[in-house]
Coordinates of all heavy atoms in Angstrom, one line a residue:
M1 N 2.9 4.0 -14.9 CA 3.1 3.0 -13.9 C 1.9 2.8 -13.0 O 1.5 1.7 -12.7 CB 4.3 3.3 -13.0 CG 4.7 2.2 -12.1 SD 6.3 2.5 -11.4 CE 5.9 2.8 -9.7
L2 N 1.2 3.9 -12.6 CA 0.1 3.8 -11.7 C -1.1 3.0 -12.4 O -1.7 2.3 -11.8 CB -0.4 5.2 -11.3 CG -1.3 5.3 -10.1 CD1 -0.7 4.7 -8.9 CD2 -1.6 6.8 -9.9
D3 N -1.2 3.3 -13.7 CA -2.3 2.5 -14.5 C -2.0 1.0 -14.4 O -3.0 0.3 -14.2 CB -2.3 3.0 -15.9 CG -2.9 4.4 -16.1 OD1 -3.6 4.9 -15.2 OD2 -2.6 5.0 -17.1
R4 N -0.8 0.6 -14.6 CA -0.5 -0.8 -14.6 C -0.7 -1.4 -13.2 O -1.2 -2.5 -13.1 CB 1.0 -1.0 -15.1 CG 1.4 -2.4 -15.2 CD 0.6 -3.1 -16.3 NE 1.0 -4.5 -16.3 CZ 0.2 -5.5 -16.4 NH1 -1.1 -5.4 -16.4 NH2 0.6 -6.8 -16.4
Q5 N -0.3 -0.6 -12.2 CA -0.5 -1.1 -10.8 C -2.0 -1.3 -10.5 O -2.3 -2.3 -9.9 CB 0.1 -0.1 -9.8 CG 1.6 -0.2 -9.8 CD 2.2 0.8 -8.8 OE1 1.7 1.9 -8.7 NE2 3.3 0.5 -8.2
R6 N -2.8 -0.3 -10.9 CA -4.2 -0.4 -10.7 C -4.8 -1.7 -11.4 O -5.6 -2.4 -10.8 CB -4.9 0.8 -11.3 CG -5.4 1.8 -10.3 CD -6.4 2.8 -10.9 NE -6.1 3.2 -12.2 CZ -5.3 4.3 -12.5 NH1 -4.7 4.9 -11.6 NH2 -5.1 4.6 -13.8
Q7 N -4.3 -2.0 -12.6 CA -4.8 -3.2 -13.3 C -4.4 -4.4 -12.6 O -5.2 -5.4 -12.4 CB -4.2 -3.2 -14.7 CG -4.7 -2.2 -15.7 CD -3.9 -2.1 -17.0 OE1 -2.9 -2.8 -17.1 NE2 -4.4 -1.4 -17.9
I8 N -3.2 -4.5 -12.1 CA -2.7 -5.7 -11.4 C -3.5 -5.9 -10.1 O -3.9 -7.0 -9.8 CB -1.2 -5.6 -11.1 CG1 -0.4 -5.7 -12.4 CG2 -0.7 -6.6 -10.1 CD1 1.1 -5.3 -12.3
V9 N -3.6 -4.8 -9.3 CA -4.3 -4.9 -8.0 C -5.7 -5.3 -8.2 O -6.2 -6.2 -7.5 CB -4.2 -3.6 -7.2 CG1 -5.2 -3.5 -6.1 CG2 -2.8 -3.3 -6.8
R10 N -6.4 -4.7 -9.2 CA -7.8 -5.1 -9.4 C -7.9 -6.6 -9.9 O -8.9 -7.2 -9.6 CB -8.5 -4.1 -10.4 CG -8.7 -2.8 -9.7 CD -9.7 -2.0 -10.5 NE -10.1 -0.8 -9.7 CZ -10.1 0.4 -10.1 NH1 -9.7 0.7 -11.3 NH2 -10.5 1.4 -9.3
A11 N -7.0 -7.0 -10.7 CA -7.0 -8.4 -11.1 C -6.7 -9.4 -10.0 O -7.3 -10.5 -9.9 CB -6.0 -8.6 -12.2
L12 N -5.9 -9.0 -9.1 CA -5.5 -9.9 -8.0 C -6.4 -9.8 -6.8 O -6.4 -10.8 -6.0 CB -4.0 -9.7 -7.6 CG -3.0 -10.0 -8.7 CD1 -1.6 -9.6 -8.2 CD2 -3.0 -11.5 -9.1
E13 N -7.0 -8.7 -6.6 CA -7.8 -8.5 -5.3 C -9.2 -7.9 -5.7 O -9.3 -6.8 -6.0 CB -7.0 -7.5 -4.5 CG -7.7 -7.1 -3.2 CD -8.0 -8.4 -2.3 OE1 -7.1 -9.0 -1.9 OE2 -9.2 -8.6 -2.1
P14 N -10.2 -8.8 -5.7 CA -11.5 -8.4 -6.1 C -12.1 -7.3 -5.2 O -12.8 -6.4 -5.8 CB -12.3 -9.7 -5.9 CG -11.4 -10.8 -6.0 CD -10.1 -10.2 -5.5
A15 N -11.7 -7.2 -4.0 CA -12.2 -6.2 -3.1 C -11.8 -4.8 -3.5 O -12.4 -3.8 -3.3 CB -11.8 -6.4 -1.7
A16 N -10.6 -4.7 -4.2 CA -10.1 -3.4 -4.7 C -11.0 -2.8 -5.7 O -11.1 -1.6 -5.9 CB -8.7 -3.6 -5.3
S17 N -11.8 -3.6 -6.5 CA -12.7 -3.0 -7.5 C -13.8 -2.3 -6.9 O -14.5 -1.5 -7.5 CB -13.2 -4.1 -8.4 OG -14.0 -5.0 -7.7
K18 N -14.1 -2.4 -5.6 CA -15.1 -1.7 -4.9 C -14.7 -0.3 -4.5 O -15.5 0.5 -4.2 CB -15.6 -2.5 -3.6 CG -16.2 -3.8 -3.9 CD -16.5 -4.5 -2.6 CE -16.9 -6.0 -2.9 NZ -17.1 -6.7 -1.7
L19 N -13.4 0.0 -4.5 CA -12.9 1.3 -4.1 C -13.1 2.3 -5.3 O -12.9 1.9 -6.4 CB -11.4 1.2 -3.8 CG -11.0 0.5 -2.5 CD1 -9.5 0.5 -2.5 CD2 -11.6 1.2 -1.3
P20 N -13.4 3.5 -4.9 CA -13.3 4.6 -6.0 C -11.9 4.7 -6.5 O -10.9 4.4 -5.8 CB -13.7 5.8 -5.2 CG -14.3 5.4 -3.9 CD -13.8 4.0 -3.6
E21 N -11.8 5.0 -7.8 CA -10.5 5.1 -8.4 C -9.5 6.1 -7.7 O -8.4 5.8 -7.5 CB -10.6 5.5 -9.9 CG -9.3 5.4 -10.6 CD -9.5 5.2 -12.1 OE1 -10.4 4.5 -12.5 OE2 -8.6 5.6 -12.8
A22 N -10.1 7.2 -7.2 CA -9.2 8.1 -6.4 C -8.7 7.5 -5.2 O -7.5 7.8 -4.8 CB -10.0 9.4 -6.1
E23 N -9.4 6.7 -4.5 CA -8.9 6.1 -3.3 C -7.9 5.0 -3.6 O -6.8 5.0 -2.9 CB -10.1 5.4 -2.5 CG -9.7 4.6 -1.3 CD -9.1 5.5 -0.2 OE1 -9.3 6.7 -0.1 OE2 -8.3 4.9 0.7
L24 N -8.1 4.2 -4.6 CA -7.1 3.3 -5.0 C -5.8 4.0 -5.5 O -4.7 3.6 -5.1 CB -7.6 2.4 -6.2 CG -6.7 1.3 -6.7 CD1 -6.2 0.4 -5.5 CD2 -7.4 0.5 -7.8
N25 N -5.9 5.1 -6.2 CA -4.7 5.9 -6.6 C -4.0 6.4 -5.4 O -2.7 6.3 -5.3 CB -5.1 7.1 -7.4 CG -5.5 6.7 -8.8 OD1 -5.3 5.6 -9.3 ND2 -6.2 7.6 -9.5
R26 N -4.7 6.9 -4.3 CA -4.0 7.4 -3.1 C -3.2 6.2 -2.4 O -2.1 6.4 -2.0 CB -5.0 8.0 -2.2 CG -5.4 9.4 -2.6 CD -6.2 10.0 -1.5 NE -7.5 9.4 -1.3 CZ -8.7 9.8 -1.9 NH1 -8.6 10.7 -2.8 NH2 -9.8 9.2 -1.7
R27 N -3.9 5.1 -2.4 CA -3.2 3.9 -1.7 C -2.0 3.5 -2.5 O -0.9 3.2 -1.9 CB -4.2 2.7 -1.6 CG -5.2 3.0 -0.6 CD -6.0 1.7 -0.3 NE -7.2 1.9 0.4 CZ -7.9 1.0 1.0 NH1 -7.4 -0.2 1.0 NH2 -9.0 1.2 1.6
L28 N -2.1 3.5 -3.8 CA -0.9 3.1 -4.6 C 0.2 4.1 -4.5 O 1.4 3.8 -4.5 CB -1.4 2.8 -6.1 CG -2.2 1.6 -6.3 CD1 -2.7 1.5 -7.7 CD2 -1.5 0.3 -5.9
E29 N -0.2 5.4 -4.5 CA 0.8 6.4 -4.3 C 1.6 6.3 -3.0 O 2.8 6.4 -2.9 CB 0.2 7.8 -4.5 CG -0.2 8.1 -5.9 CD -1.1 9.3 -6.0 OE1 -1.5 9.9 -5.0 OE2 -1.4 9.7 -7.2
M30 N 0.8 6.0 -1.9 CA 1.4 5.8 -0.6 C 2.3 4.5 -0.7 O 3.4 4.5 -0.1 CB 0.4 5.6 0.5 CG -0.3 6.9 0.8 SD 0.8 8.1 1.5 CE 1.4 7.3 3.0
F31 N 1.8 3.5 -1.3 CA 2.6 2.2 -1.4 C 4.0 2.5 -2.1 O 5.0 2.1 -1.7 CB 1.8 1.2 -2.2 CG 2.6 -0.1 -2.5 CD1 2.8 -1.0 -1.5 CD2 3.1 -0.3 -3.8 CE1 3.5 -2.2 -1.8 CE2 3.8 -1.4 -4.0 CZ 4.0 -2.4 -3.1
N32 N 3.9 3.3 -3.2 CA 5.1 3.6 -4.0 C 6.0 4.5 -3.1 O 7.3 4.3 -3.2 CB 4.7 4.4 -5.3 CG 4.1 3.4 -6.3 OD1 4.4 2.2 -6.3 ND2 3.2 4.0 -7.1
A33 N 5.5 5.4 -2.4 CA 6.4 6.2 -1.5 C 7.0 5.4 -0.4 O 8.2 5.6 -0.1 CB 5.5 7.3 -0.8
L34 N 6.3 4.4 0.2 CA 6.9 3.6 1.2 C 8.0 2.7 0.6 O 9.0 2.4 1.2 CB 5.8 2.7 1.8 CG 4.9 3.5 2.8 CD1 3.7 2.6 3.2 CD2 5.7 3.9 4.0
Q35 N 7.7 2.2 -0.6 CA 8.7 1.4 -1.3 C 10.0 2.2 -1.5 O 11.1 1.6 -1.3 CB 8.2 1.0 -2.7 CG 7.9 -0.5 -2.8 CD 7.5 -0.8 -4.2 OE1 7.0 0.0 -5.0 NE2 7.7 -2.1 -4.6
K36 N 9.9 3.4 -1.9 CA 11.1 4.2 -2.1 C 11.8 4.5 -0.8 O 13.0 4.5 -0.7 CB 10.7 5.6 -2.8 CG 10.3 5.4 -4.2 CD 9.9 6.7 -4.8 CE 9.4 6.4 -6.2 NZ 8.8 7.6 -6.9
A37 N 11.0 4.7 0.3 CA 11.6 4.9 1.6 C 12.4 3.8 2.1 O 13.4 3.9 2.8 CB 10.5 5.3 2.6
V38 N 11.9 2.6 1.8 CA 12.6 1.4 2.3 C 14.1 1.4 1.8 O 15.0 0.9 2.5 CB 11.9 0.1 1.8 CG1 12.7 -1.2 1.9 CG2 10.6 -0.1 2.5
H39 N 14.3 1.9 0.6 CA 15.7 1.9 0.1 C 16.6 2.9 0.9 O 17.8 2.8 0.8 CB 15.7 2.4 -1.4 CG 15.0 1.3 -2.3 ND1 15.6 0.1 -2.6 CD2 13.8 1.3 -2.9 CE1 14.8 -0.6 -3.3 NE2 13.7 0.1 -3.5
L40 N 16.0 3.8 1.7 CA 16.7 4.7 2.5 C 17.1 4.1 3.8 O 18.0 4.7 4.5 CB 16.0 6.0 2.7 CG 15.6 6.8 1.4 CD1 14.7 8.0 1.8 CD2 16.8 7.2 0.7
L41 N 16.5 3.0 4.2 CA 16.8 2.4 5.5 C 18.2 1.8 5.4 O 18.6 1.3 4.4 CB 15.8 1.2 5.8 CG 14.4 1.7 6.1 CD1 13.5 0.5 6.2 CD2 14.3 2.5 7.4
P42 N 18.9 1.8 6.6 CA 20.2 1.2 6.6 C 20.2 -0.3 6.3 O 19.2 -0.9 6.7 CB 20.7 1.5 8.0 CG 19.7 2.3 8.7 CD 18.5 2.4 7.8
R43 N 21.2 -0.8 5.7 CA 21.2 -2.2 5.4 C 21.9 -3.0 6.6 O 22.9 -3.6 6.4 CB 22.0 -2.4 4.1 CG 21.4 -1.7 3.0 CD 20.9 -2.7 1.9 NE 20.5 -2.0 0.7 CZ 19.2 -1.9 0.4 NH1 18.3 -2.4 1.2 NH2 18.8 -1.3 -0.7
T44 N 21.3 -2.8 7.7 CA 21.8 -3.5 8.9 C 20.7 -4.3 9.6 O 19.5 -4.2 9.2 CB 22.4 -2.5 9.9 OG1 21.3 -1.7 10.4 CG2 23.5 -1.6 9.3
A45 N 21.0 -5.0 10.6 CA 20.0 -5.7 11.4 C 18.9 -4.7 11.9 O 17.7 -4.9 11.9 CB 20.6 -6.5 12.5
E46 N 19.4 -3.5 12.3 CA 18.5 -2.5 12.8 C 17.6 -2.0 11.7 O 16.4 -1.8 11.9 CB 19.3 -1.3 13.3 CG 18.5 -0.2 13.9 CD 19.3 1.0 14.4 OE1 20.4 0.8 14.9 OE2 18.8 2.1 14.2
G47 N 18.1 -1.8 10.5 CA 17.2 -1.5 9.4 C 16.1 -2.5 9.1 O 15.0 -2.2 8.9
C48 N 16.5 -3.8 9.2 CA 15.5 -4.8 9.0 C 14.5 -4.8 10.1 O 13.3 -5.0 9.8 CB 16.2 -6.2 9.0 SG 17.3 -6.4 7.5
S49 N 14.9 -4.6 11.3 CA 14.0 -4.5 12.4 C 13.0 -3.3 12.2 O 11.8 -3.4 12.4 CB 14.7 -4.3 13.7 OG 13.8 -4.1 14.8
T50 N 13.5 -2.2 11.7 CA 12.6 -1.0 11.5 C 11.6 -1.4 10.4 O 10.5 -1.0 10.5 CB 13.5 0.2 11.0 OG1 14.4 0.5 12.1 CG2 12.6 1.4 10.7
Y51 N 12.1 -2.0 9.4 CA 11.2 -2.4 8.3 C 10.1 -3.3 8.9 O 8.9 -3.1 8.6 CB 11.9 -3.1 7.2 CG 11.0 -3.6 6.1 CD1 10.5 -2.7 5.1 CD2 10.5 -4.9 6.1 CE1 9.7 -3.1 4.1 CE2 9.6 -5.3 5.1 CZ 9.2 -4.4 4.1 OH 8.3 -4.8 3.2
E52 N 10.4 -4.3 9.6 CA 9.5 -5.3 10.1 C 8.5 -4.6 11.1 O 7.3 -5.0 11.1 CB 10.2 -6.5 10.8 CG 10.9 -7.3 9.8 CD 11.8 -8.3 10.5 OE1 11.9 -8.3 11.7 OE2 12.4 -9.1 9.8
R53 N 9.0 -3.7 11.9 CA 8.1 -3.1 12.9 C 7.3 -2.0 12.4 O 6.2 -1.7 12.9 CB 9.0 -2.6 14.1 CG 9.5 -3.7 15.0 CD 10.3 -3.1 16.2 NE 11.4 -2.3 15.8 CZ 11.5 -0.9 15.9 NH1 10.5 -0.3 16.5 NH2 12.5 -0.3 15.5
V54 N 7.8 -1.2 11.4 CA 7.1 0.0 11.0 C 6.6 -0.1 9.6 O 5.4 0.1 9.3 CB 8.1 1.2 11.2 CG1 7.4 2.5 10.7 CG2 8.6 1.3 12.6
V55 N 7.4 -0.3 8.6 CA 7.1 -0.2 7.2 C 6.1 -1.4 6.8 O 5.1 -1.1 6.1 CB 8.3 -0.1 6.3 CG1 7.9 -0.1 4.9 CG2 9.2 1.0 6.7
E56 N 6.5 -2.6 7.1 CA 5.7 -3.7 6.7 C 4.2 -3.6 7.2 O 3.3 -3.8 6.3 CB 6.3 -5.0 7.2 CG 5.5 -6.2 6.6 CD 6.2 -7.5 7.0 OE1 7.3 -7.6 7.4 OE2 5.5 -8.5 6.9
P57 N 3.9 -3.3 8.4 CA 2.5 -3.1 8.8 C 1.8 -2.0 8.1 O 0.6 -2.1 7.8 CB 2.6 -2.8 10.3 CG 3.9 -3.3 10.8 CD 4.8 -3.2 9.6
M58 N 2.5 -0.9 7.7 CA 1.9 0.2 7.0 C 1.5 -0.3 5.6 O 0.5 0.0 5.1 CB 2.9 1.4 6.9 CG 3.1 2.1 8.2 SD 4.5 3.2 8.2 CE 3.9 4.5 7.1
I59 N 2.4 -1.0 4.9 CA 2.1 -1.6 3.6 C 0.9 -2.5 3.7 O 0.0 -2.5 2.9 CB 3.4 -2.2 3.0 CG1 4.4 -1.1 2.6 CG2 3.0 -3.0 1.8 CD1 5.7 -1.7 2.2
R60 N 0.9 -3.4 4.7 CA -0.2 -4.3 4.8 C -1.5 -3.6 5.0 O -2.5 -4.0 4.4 CB 0.1 -5.3 6.0 CG 1.1 -6.3 5.7 CD 1.2 -7.3 6.9 NE 2.3 -8.2 6.7 CZ 2.2 -9.3 6.0 NH1 1.1 -9.6 5.3 NH2 3.3 -10.1 5.8
S61 N -1.5 -2.5 5.8 CA -2.8 -1.8 6.0 C -3.2 -1.1 4.7 O -4.4 -1.1 4.4 CB -2.7 -0.8 7.1 OG -1.8 0.2 6.8
L62 N -2.3 -0.7 3.9 CA -2.7 0.0 2.6 C -3.3 -1.0 1.6 O -4.1 -0.7 0.8 CB -1.4 0.6 1.9 CG -1.0 1.9 2.5 CD1 0.4 2.3 1.9 CD2 -1.9 3.0 2.3
L63 N -2.9 -2.3 1.8 CA -3.3 -3.3 0.8 C -4.5 -4.2 1.4 O -4.9 -5.1 0.8 CB -2.2 -4.2 0.5 CG -1.0 -3.5 -0.2 CD1 0.1 -4.5 -0.5 CD2 -1.4 -2.8 -1.5
Q64 N -5.1 -3.7 2.5 CA -6.3 -4.4 3.0 C -7.5 -3.8 2.4 O -8.2 -2.9 3.0 CB -6.4 -4.3 4.5 CG -5.3 -5.2 5.2 CD -5.4 -5.1 6.7 OE1 -6.1 -4.2 7.2 NE2 -4.6 -5.9 7.4
F65 N -7.8 -4.2 1.2 CA -8.9 -3.5 0.4 C -10.3 -3.8 0.9 O -11.2 -3.0 0.6 CB -8.8 -3.9 -1.1 CG -7.5 -3.4 -1.7 CD1 -6.5 -4.3 -2.0 CD2 -7.3 -2.1 -1.9 CE1 -5.3 -3.9 -2.6 CE2 -6.1 -1.6 -2.5 CZ -5.1 -2.5 -2.8
D66 N -10.4 -4.8 1.7 CA -11.8 -5.1 2.2 C -12.0 -4.6 3.6 O -13.0 -4.8 4.2 CB -12.0 -6.6 2.2 CG -11.0 -7.4 3.0 OD1 -10.0 -6.8 3.4 OD2 -11.3 -8.6 3.3
S67 N -11.0 -3.9 4.1 CA -11.0 -3.3 5.5 C -11.9 -2.0 5.5 O -11.9 -1.3 4.6 CB -9.6 -3.0 5.9 OG -9.6 -2.3 7.1
D68 N -12.6 -1.8 6.7 CA -13.3 -0.6 6.9 C -12.4 0.5 7.3 O -12.9 1.7 7.4 CB -14.4 -0.9 8.0 CG -15.5 -1.8 7.5 OD1 -15.7 -1.9 6.3 OD2 -16.2 -2.3 8.4
F69 N -11.2 0.2 7.6 CA -10.3 1.3 8.2 C -10.2 2.5 7.3 O -10.2 3.6 7.8 CB -8.9 0.7 8.3 CG -7.9 1.6 8.9 CD1 -7.9 1.9 10.3 CD2 -7.0 2.3 8.1 CE1 -6.9 2.8 10.8 CE2 -6.1 3.2 8.6 CZ -6.0 3.4 10.0
F70 N -10.2 2.3 6.0 CA -10.0 3.5 5.1 C -11.3 4.1 4.6 O -11.3 5.0 3.9 CB -9.2 3.1 3.9 CG -7.8 2.8 4.2 CD1 -7.3 1.5 4.4 CD2 -6.9 3.8 4.3 CE1 -6.0 1.3 4.7 CE2 -5.5 3.6 4.6 CZ -5.1 2.3 4.8
Q71 N -12.5 3.5 5.1 CA -13.8 4.1 4.6 C -14.1 5.3 5.4 O -13.8 5.5 6.6 CB -14.9 3.0 4.8 CG -14.6 1.7 4.1 CD -14.3 1.9 2.6 OE1 -15.0 2.7 1.9 NE2 -13.3 1.2 2.1
P72 N -14.7 6.3 4.7 CA -15.1 7.6 5.3 C -16.1 7.3 6.5 O -16.9 6.4 6.3 CB -15.7 8.4 4.2 CG -15.5 7.7 3.0 CD -15.0 6.3 3.3
K73 N -15.9 8.0 7.5 CA -16.8 7.9 8.7 C -18.0 8.8 8.4 O -17.9 9.9 8.0 CB -16.1 8.3 10.0 CG -14.8 7.6 10.3 CD -15.1 6.1 10.5 CE -13.8 5.4 10.9 NZ -13.4 4.3 10.1
S74 N -19.2 8.3 8.7 CA -20.4 9.1 8.4 C -20.9 9.8 9.7 O -20.4 9.7 10.7 CB -21.5 8.2 7.9 OG -21.7 7.0 8.6

């Protein structure tokens, strides 16, 4: 599954091809873990609020491939 996700991400997001494969793998593993965690949230308005406030921004930051946020500090 990870191989297919890498192919899709690299095809859809050119900036992702600049990342080392290990970094892309870590981001995709985190993305997959967050996706699984979303299923544990209660299916109430409170659960939706938690997703919008917490999980969605985390997923967005993982998928900002052109961001300096994840680059090692020198």
Side-chain angles (χ1 to χ4, degrees):
M1 185 168 112
L2 198 58
D3 288 337
R4 183 68 180 132
Q5 286 177 325
R6 257 195 319 274
Q7 291 172 352
I8 292 169
V9 166
R10 286 195 169 131
L12 296 176
E13 180 55 63
S17 63
K18 297 176 186 175
L19 289 176
E21 189 153 328
E23 176 64 21
L24 183 55
N25 287 345
R26 282 190 292 270
R27 290 190 194 198
L28 291 172
E29 287 168 357
M30 288 296 299
F31 174 77
N32 290 328
L34 286 170
Q35 250 186 332
K36 289 176 185 176
V38 166
H39 293 288
L40 299 175
L41 293 173
R43 301 241 186 258
T44 64
E46 182 181 322
C48 292
S49 174
T50 300
Y51 177 82
E52 291 169 357
R53 288 184 299 109
V54 178
V55 179
E56 185 177 342
M58 290 169 66
I59 289 173
R60 287 184 186 278
S61 69
L62 284 170
L63 299 178
Q64 289 179 352
F65 296 108
D66 59 347
S67 171
D68 291 339
F69 181 78
F70 290 97
Q71 301 307 317
K73 306 294 185 236
S74 44

